């Protein structure tokens, strides 16, 4: 039925507070923008970047309203669409690039006012002029230049050390756009969507706040204005009703299918066809060498963030044959890399445990990354892509704190309690004042106004958030068993010894002999390979950001001289039924 949508519990009170401020300055239009004028009849009748012939080209869902309320829809709508377009440009191959909205909230000042609103096209103008980094360089903090987080030398890319010092990494990636512009109307929007998602203004009314499914339709009173920015990712038709498919930035607990919505198309419903911004990503990604512009500071010796042995209170939980038992006698492939299985990337987004503060949370990062990867694998990479929230396991002391911990506690917590995705709890890189594991420490939402520079927003717990569970969990060690567990179920968590030499790793197959490796760090092994000279190695995800190593990953020798990485590993197997995943 036209205009039907389900009204449920109001989860997001007051989010229709204005977060869009239209700038009055001129906008550069590129010469070939006329390509958006093809007749609609010549284009596909429906399109959804979440599922193009079985491939999901969308990056992760977002929540602009945690850990504080922030009217940054303009930054999220633009950066989410651009992140998706990078994924489309690189045909969904590894790695997903998640452009940092925090850089926009802090540094885009022409016509934009941080958490008090802004304009998506101004983000693209800024990126075209200056470039922008990913979220492992600058994580979202829900503050901007108008309320305590102004643009400074660390606002583009930073990482922090155990002594509390933060600094610009020696090198980092800078992403850019080659073109950008403004379009409006159904015809131009459908044309632009053939290239990727677009950021569109709309009037987010109180009725839209309450949306939780169906095709939204609403007749606005005269004089209504746009106040919100979202990303349109597709379009279609159901029972004769044409619709747009949109991505919001209010968390996965809003709307349908992880923070998305449908709205009537072709009638400028809620003014959604009145003004949209698009940008073309630059395929040339720059590597910025900042070594000549930073201080002479060098990070001190790595601080232990992981127990030497993983433990499970009460022992492992094993209810069926282990992977190496199921695959007994089966020859493993010569190489296996979950970043590229027949051209498909099954890994979730990259992390940096050390921003916006230093936090010894490797025990939570390696495990939650492996958990999210395994969900992607078990669901065959279906939309939506999720990140499991490491801040929740810190808040609940499910294995440790920012002073380090036991990875086994994470898998146990995922079995007994469940863990939400990261739109419930933003990573803060710090311990809570009290380890209560209260509802607000598991899943929260914040409401207007934006937090003052030295204060906080009004936040409350989200009731009945979607939690993700594991069933069996346990230990694994030794190359043969490790390979079979990775091959059968996906990446595993592993302990290793970090040395000063390892911290300086920039690429290649690492090896270092130590007489008695003392495990002090948790990583996630995602596969293995063989070099041209026949040397076997592990492919490993770290949690120090994309500025480190090989896009945040490293390769290390198999069997020996590998800092103990094969001696103490852990895993959990996602329980899709209990997690409510079909």
């Amino acid at each position: 039925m036209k205009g039907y949508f389900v009204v449920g519990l109001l989860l997001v009170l007051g989010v229709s507070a204005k977060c869009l401020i239209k700038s009055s300055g001129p906008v550069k239009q590129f010469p070939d923008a006329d390509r958006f004028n093809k007749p609609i009849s010549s284009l596909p009748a429906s399109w959804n970047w979440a599922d193009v012939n079985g491939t999901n080209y969308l990056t992760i869902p977002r929540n602009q309203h945690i850990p504080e309320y922030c009217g940054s829809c303009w930054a999220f709508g633009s950066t989410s669409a651009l992140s998706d377009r990078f994924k489309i440009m690189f045909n969904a191959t590894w790695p997903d690039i998640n452009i940092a909205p925090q850089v926009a909230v802090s540094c885009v000042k022409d016509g934009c006012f941080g958490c008090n609103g802004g304009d998506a096209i101004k983000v693209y103008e800024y990126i075209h002029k200056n470039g922008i980094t990913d979220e492992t360089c600058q994580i979202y903090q829900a503050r901007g230049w108008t309320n305590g987080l102004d643009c400074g030398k660390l606002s583009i890319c930073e990482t922090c050390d155990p002594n509390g010092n933060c600094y610009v990494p020696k090198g980092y990636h800078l992403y850019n756009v080659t073109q950008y512009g403004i379009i409006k109307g159904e015809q131009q929007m459908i044309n632009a969507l053939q290239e990727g998602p677009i950021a569109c203004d709309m009037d987010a009314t109180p009725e839209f706040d309450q949306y939780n499914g169906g095709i939204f339709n609403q007749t606005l009173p005269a004089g209504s204005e746009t106040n919100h920015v979202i990303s349109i990712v597709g379009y279609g038709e159901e029972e004769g009703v044409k619709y747009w498919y949109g991505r919001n930035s209010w968390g996965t607990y809003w709307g349908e299918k992880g923070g998305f919505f449908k709205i009537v198309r072709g009638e400028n419903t809620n003014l959604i066809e009145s003004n949209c911004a698009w940008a073309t990503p630059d395929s040339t990604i720059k590597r910025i060498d900042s070594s000549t512009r930073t201080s002479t500071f060098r990070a001190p010796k790595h601080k232990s963030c992981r127990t030497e042995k993983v433990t499970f209170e009460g022992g492992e939980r094993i209810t069926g044959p282990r992977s190496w038992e199921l695959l007994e006698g089966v020859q493993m492939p010569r190489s296996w890399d979950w970043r590229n299985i027949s051209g498909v990337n099954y890994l979730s987004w990259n992390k940096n445990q050390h921003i916006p503060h230093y936090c010894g949370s490797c025990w939570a990062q390696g495990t939650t990354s492996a958990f999210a990867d395994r969900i992607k694998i078990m669901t065959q990479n279906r939309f939506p892509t999720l990140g499991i929230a490491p801040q929740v396991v810190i808040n609940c002391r499910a294995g440790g704190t920012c002073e380090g911990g036991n990875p086994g506690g994470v898998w146990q917590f995922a079995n007994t309690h469940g863990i939400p995705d990261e739109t419930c709890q933003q990573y803060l890189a710090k311990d809570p004042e009290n380890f209560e594991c209260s509802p607000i420490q598991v899943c929260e939402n914040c409401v207007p106004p934006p937090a003052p520079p030295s204060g906080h927003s009004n936040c409350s717990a989200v009731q009945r958030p979607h939690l993700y569970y594991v069933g069996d969990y346990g230990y694994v060690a030794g190359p043969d068993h490790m390979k079979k567990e990775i091959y059968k179920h996906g990446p595993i968590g592993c302990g290793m010894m970090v040395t000063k030499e390892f911290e300086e790793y920039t690429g290649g197959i690492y090896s270092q002999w130590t007489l008695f490796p003392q495990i002090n760090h948790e990583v996630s092994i995602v596969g293995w390979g063989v070099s041209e000279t026949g040397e076997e190695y592990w492919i490993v995800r770290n949690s120090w950001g994309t500025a480190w190593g090989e896009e945040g990953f490293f390769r290390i020798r198999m069997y020996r001289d590998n800092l103990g990485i094969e001696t103490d590993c852990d895993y959990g197997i996602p329980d899709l039924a209990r997690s409510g995943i079909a």
Side-chain angles (χ1 to χ4, degrees), residues 203-446:
D203 184 358
T205 61
E207 291 81 7
F208 183 75
D209 289 357
Q210 299 182 60
Y211 170 88
N212 65 2
I215 301 175
F216 184 83
N217 193 16
Q218 181 178 14
T219 300
L220 299 180
S224 296
E225 297 180 347
T226 54
N227 60 10
H228 187 50
V229 180
I230 49 80
S231 173
I232 299 292
V233 304
Y235 58 92
E237 185 174 326
E238 290 180 4
E239 299 181 357
V241 180
K242 299 189 302 180
Y243 65 85
W244 299 111
Y245 193 50
R247 174 214 296 268
N248 208 346
S249 51
W250 295 345
T252 58
Y253 47 77
W254 180 89
E256 66 176 26
K257 195 78 172 180
F260 288 71
F261 66 96
K262 295 173 184 175
I263 189 169
V264 168
R265 169 168 60 97
E267 299 180 12
N268 198 23
T269 305
N270 287 62
L271 307 178
I272 202 165
E273 296 162 7
S274 61
N275 189 82
C276 298
W278 61 273
T280 301
D282 189 342
S283 62
T284 302
I285 298 172
K286 298 177 182 178
R287 176 77 176 182
I288 303 299
D289 179 7
S290 62
S291 60
T292 60
R293 292 184 287 151
T294 58
S295 68
T296 56
F297 167 81
R298 290 177 62 88
K301 185 177 179 181
H302 175 78
K303 184 178 179 181
S304 177
C305 62
R306 198 251 200 204
T307 54
E308 192 165 354
K309 297 291 292 183
V310 63
T311 58
F312 300 99
E313 185 178 346
E316 301 170 289
R317 186 182 190 275
I318 305 297
T319 61
R322 298 177 188 263
S323 57
W324 50 91
E325 295 168 345
L326 291 170
L327 297 173
E328 185 176 1
V330 177
Q331 184 69 32
M332 288 294 96
R334 182 173 171 83
S335 62
W336 190 262
D337 184 353
W338 281 111
R339 299 175 301 179
N340 184 0
I341 302 298
S342 300
V344 179
N345 169 34
Y346 287 94
L347 299 192
S348 52
W349 66 333
N350 291 332
K351 305 287 191 67
N352 187 349
Q353 69 185 72
H354 297 319
I355 57 173
H357 316 282
Y358 177 88
C359 176
S361 62
C362 64
W363 58 277
Q365 302 288 349
T367 46
T368 54
S369 289
F371 187 6
D373 296 343
R374 286 180 163 218
I375 290 174
K376 286 192 69 174
I377 292 164
M378 293 180 72
T379 57
Q380 298 180 323
N381 207 25
R382 292 197 308 270
F383 162 82
T385 296
L386 299 173
I388 300 298
Q391 188 64 47
V392 171
V393 297
I394 294 171
N395 292 347
C396 294
R397 209 163 192 166
T401 69
C402 275
E403 298 301 313
N406 165 35
V410 179
W411 297 119
Q412 285 187 293
F413 183 75
N415 173 263
T416 58
H417 181 281
I419 308 173
D421 69 76
E422 293 196 75
T423 70
C424 262
Q425 197 68 227
Q426 178 71 8
Y427 181 62
L428 304 177
K430 65 179 182 180
D431 294 332
E433 292 183 5
N434 298 293
F435 294 95
E436 299 173 340
C437 201
S438 61
I440 198 171
Q441 291 181 334
V442 174
C443 192
E444 67 176 337
N445 179 64
C446 304

Side-chain angles (χ1 to χ4, degrees), residues 14-58:
V15 274
S16 55
K18 192 176 183 70
C19 65
L20 163 67
I21 297 177
K22 294 306 299 177
S23 56
S24 57
V27 174
K28 182 176 181 179
Q29 294 287 334
F30 286 83
D32 61 347
D34 289 341
R35 68 183 185 274
F36 300 136
N37 291 324
K38 295 177 183 177
I40 293 177
S41 60
S42 69
L43 301 173
S46 63
W47 193 264
N48 186 355
W49 283 109
D51 183 359
V52 179
N53 298 321
T55 299
N56 171 23
Y57 286 96
L58 302 184

Side-chain angles (χ1 to χ4, degrees), residues 413-543:
F413 183 75
N415 173 263
T416 58
H417 181 281
I419 308 173
D421 69 76
E422 293 196 75
T423 70
C424 262
Q425 197 68 227
Q426 178 71 8
Y427 181 62
L428 304 177
K430 65 179 182 180
D431 294 332
E433 292 183 5
N434 298 293
F435 294 95
E436 299 173 340
C437 201
S438 61
I440 198 171
Q441 291 181 334
V442 174
C443 192
E444 67 176 337
N445 179 64
C446 304
V447 296
S454 58
H456 296 284
S457 299
N458 180 18
C459 304
S460 59
V462 173
Q463 302 301 317
R464 299 180 297 279
H466 192 152
L467 302 177
Y468 298 87
Y469 296 86
V470 300
D472 286 6
Y473 52 81
Y475 310 96
V476 60
D480 181 64
H481 288 182
M482 290 164 63
K483 283 184 177 181
K484 289 176 177 175
E485 180 58 30
I486 293 168
Y487 180 80
K488 179 68 176 176
H489 295 123
I492 59 176
C494 285
M496 65 174 291
M497 178 181 179
V498 166
T499 63
K500 181 179 179 180
E501 293 78 10
F502 177 77
E503 286 184 320
E504 300 298 323
Y505 171 86
T506 58
I509 301 173
Y510 190 83
S511 66
Q512 183 178 358
W513 179 86
T514 52
L515 182 59
F516 298 112
Q518 295 183 328
I519 289 173
N520 60 10
H521 187 53
E522 176 87 352
V523 293
S524 176
I525 298 183
V526 305
W528 64 88
V530 183
S531 72
E532 294 180 355
T533 61
E535 183 176 21
E536 294 185 77
Y537 57 86
W538 297 110
I539 303 166
V540 193
R541 176 209 290 267
N542 206 348
S543 51

Side-chain angles (χ1 to χ4, degrees), residues 73-204:
C73 61
W74 56 280
F76 276 88
S78 55
T79 57
S80 290
L82 182 58
S83 298
D84 298 340
R85 284 184 168 227
F86 270 110
K87 188 170 182 177
I88 293 163
M89 173 174 281
F90 296 120
N91 199 28
T93 57
W94 176 85
D96 280 8
I97 295 167
N98 291 281
I99 300 299
Q102 185 59 54
V103 174
V105 180
S106 289
C107 297
V108 179
K109 299 182 179 181
D110 180 13
C112 298
F113 301 90
C115 287
N116 296 104
D119 192 347
I121 194 64
K122 291 298 182 180
V123 178
Y124 294 149
E125 284 187 336
Y126 172 90
I127 295 172
H128 187 258
K129 181 180 179 179
N130 302 286
I132 196 168
T133 50
D134 66 46
E135 288 211 74
T136 70
C137 261
Q138 192 56 247
I139 199 166
Y140 183 62
Q141 298 179 60
R143 293 181 183 273
W145 70 272
T146 58
N147 67 333
L149 202 58
D150 201 353
C151 194
K153 65 179 182 179
L154 299 180
S155 298
I156 306 303
C157 192
E158 68 175 331
T159 194
C160 305
D161 73 18
N163 293 331
N165 302 303
C166 297
Y167 58 98
V168 180
K170 290 181 180 179
Y172 57 89
H173 296 307
L174 200 65
Y175 306 91
N176 215 310
V177 300
T178 59
Q179 298 180 331
Y180 60 90
I182 291 175
I183 55 175
K184 63 180 180 179
E186 182 183 14
Q187 180 181 5
Q188 288 191 333
M189 291 167 66
I190 288 180
N191 272 266
L193 279 166
Q194 308 309 306
E195 299 178 8
I198 54 179
C200 295
D201 304 346
M202 69 172 295
D203 184 358

